């Protein structure tokens, strides 16, 4: 584990014992660390979704994030879900989608959605202009 990860783990352990949260100063004092260092680590951890911050007066009070990771959510939902990046590359597919289409993660992850041949998303719907020009009004 890297030194940065160790510090993050120490911060999380400290926060777990204080469910109402702690200020940067309180965390720094509990860990025997510099307040500025703790502040920078907390910012990184907040962006990563590990901690949450709320304003209480002039102070930020940090606590352990209570979010459900996306991977856990994908496992529990009954919906068919694909997660795509900005280039429409499949980066995740839930088990329900894989079962429904009889595919494996290895087959889909890393493939562009246009090449995946998943009927629900790969077959383009006819546009309004093509329906009008073909006579169906």
């Amino acid at each position: 584990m890297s030194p940065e990860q160790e510090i993050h783990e120490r911060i999380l352990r400290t926060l777990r014992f204080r469910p109402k949260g702690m200020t940067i100063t309180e965390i720094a004092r509990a860990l025997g660390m510099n307040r500025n260092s703790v502040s920078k680590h907390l910012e990184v951890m907040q962006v990563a979704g590990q901690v949450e911050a709320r304003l209480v007066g002039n102070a930020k009070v940090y606590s352990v994030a209570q979010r459900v990771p996306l991977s856990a959510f994908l496992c529990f939902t009954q919906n068919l879900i694909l997660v795509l990046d900005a280039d429409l590359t499949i980066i995740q597919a839930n088990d329900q989608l894989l079962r429904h289409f009889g595919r494996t993660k290895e087959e889909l992850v890393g493939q562009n959605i246009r090449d995946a041949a998943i009927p629900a998303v790969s077959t383009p719907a006819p546009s309004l202009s093509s329906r009008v020009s073909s006579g169906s009004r």
Side-chain angles (χ1 to χ4, degrees):
M1 185 179 298
S2 75
E4 195 163 291
Q5 288 174 322
E6 286 180 32
I7 293 170
H8 291 188
E9 284 301 315
R10 288 179 59 206
I11 291 171
L12 288 172
R13 270 195 307 271
T14 302
L15 289 173
R16 282 190 188 104
F17 292 109
R18 299 282 298 274
K20 291 185 180 181
M22 297 173 75
T23 65
I24 296 169
T25 303
E26 291 170 331
I27 296 167
R29 193 175 303 130
L31 297 175
M33 292 177 61
N34 178 298
R35 186 189 179 289
N36 292 335
S37 296
V38 170
S39 176
K40 289 181 185 198
H41 285 286
L42 286 167
E43 286 178 23
V44 170
M45 294 171 72
Q46 187 175 8
V47 169
Q50 295 177 304
V51 297
E52 296 174 342
R54 68 183 190 285
L55 281 176
V56 178
N58 291 334
K60 279 187 181 177
V61 176
Y62 288 88
S63 57
V64 177
Q66 301 298 318
R67 298 179 188 153
V68 176
L70 178 62
S71 56
F73 172 75
L74 292 178
C75 292
F76 294 118
T77 183
Q78 295 301 310
N79 297 319
L80 309 179
I81 297 177
L82 276 176
V83 180
L84 309 174
D85 67 9
D87 297 322
L88 300 179
T89 300
I90 299 169
I91 57 173
Q92 202 162 9
N94 71 344
D95 293 341
Q96 290 77 358
L97 181 128
L98 297 171
R99 272 195 300 276
H100 183 80
F101 290 109
R103 307 290 287 277
T104 65
K105 276 192 180 175
E106 291 75 24
E107 289 178 283
L108 292 179
V109 173
Q111 216 178 49
N112 187 286
I113 189 67
R114 293 179 187 100
D115 303 326
I118 297 176
V121 292
S122 298
T123 307
S127 67
L128 180 60
S129 60
S130 68
R131 282 184 276 164
V132 171
S133 63
S134 66
S136 56
R137 296 182 187 164

